[in-house]
Amino acid sequence: MRFEEAMELAERGELVSRPGYGTRFVAVRDGQTLYGGFVGETGFADMHAYAFTEEDIRATDWRRFTRVLPDAWEGCDTPSTGRG
């Protein structure tokens, strides 16, 4: 999608990204543009103010950000020794 479309989504509370951002995203909160990413598997994000580059503004590869978490942990893979 184009930059303008991505910003409309971001202003409605969606997280948006570009392939070059990797696991990072852009959010608009209280009129401020922020760039960052989630910290591990938590709901916390490391965010900072962001100014778009000319490349960002001209880009047509914007997309909704989709967070992919690893599979749920299913327990210890080490056999039990029967001790304590």
Side-chain angles (χ1 to χ4, degrees), residues 2-78:
R2 294 183 351 249
F3 176 76
E4 295 81 11
E5 296 168 304
M7 290 308 96
E8 286 177 16
L9 286 175
E11 288 169 0
R12 288 187 274 165
E14 296 280 341
L15 303 177
V16 294
S17 187
R18 297 184 57 213
Y21 287 2
T23 60
R24 316 282 291 163
F25 55 83
V26 171
V28 176
R29 299 293 186 263
D30 296 325
Q32 185 175 14
T33 303
L34 303 169
Y35 175 82
F38 288 105
V39 178
E41 295 180 30
T42 70
F44 297 107
D46 176 28
M47 306 293 294
H48 58 86
Y50 187 67
F52 292 106
T53 65
E54 285 298 317
E55 179 184 339
D56 288 331
I57 295 168
R58 288 190 311 265
T60 59
D61 60 354
W62 285 93
R63 57 183 165 77
R64 280 189 166 105
F65 176 77
T66 303
R67 185 176 183 194
V68 178
L69 293 173
D71 293 336
W73 186 67
E74 295 186 13
C76 184
D77 58 1
T78 305

